[in-house]
Amino acid sequence: MAGGHYAPDVGLFDKGPLATTLRQMLGGRYATFVRNMQVAGPLQPSGNTLFMTGNRQHEGGSRIAWLVADRQGRNMTVGLLNPGRGEIYTLGPRPLAKPADIRTLLE
C-alpha cells in the first residue's frame, strides 16, 4: 500500500491483495466496511503504519470505518462503527495501536 492515495481513485477495495485480505478478514461485514468507506481520506503514514478513515456518504459521520496496517502487511486492524454497534477485527500476531487521528475520530 502506498500513502497519499484515495481508495476510490485506485480501486483499493475492489481488487488486489488488500481487498482479498479484507474480504477474508471481515467475511459478511466486508460490504459494510466498503459502504462505510464511501467517503474516505487517503492512506496516511503514522510511524511504521499506514491508516485511513472513512464514513458512509450522507450519514453525517454516524457510520464510519477505519483501517491501520503495518507497512509489511503482516498486521492489520479494522474498525466499524455503526449506530449502537462497534466492531474491531485484527489480523496478525498483535493488534496495531490506533493513530491519534483515529482516536480523535472515535471520541
Side-chain angles (χ1 to χ4, degrees), residues 21-45:
T21 299
L22 286 168
R23 281 187 182 97
Q24 292 170 347
M25 183 177 172
L26 300 174
R29 300 299 287 158
Y30 177 76
T32 299
F33 172 80
V34 172
R35 281 193 307 271
N36 284 12
M37 282 288 198
Q38 286 173 331
V39 181
L43 283 169
Q44 299 178 59

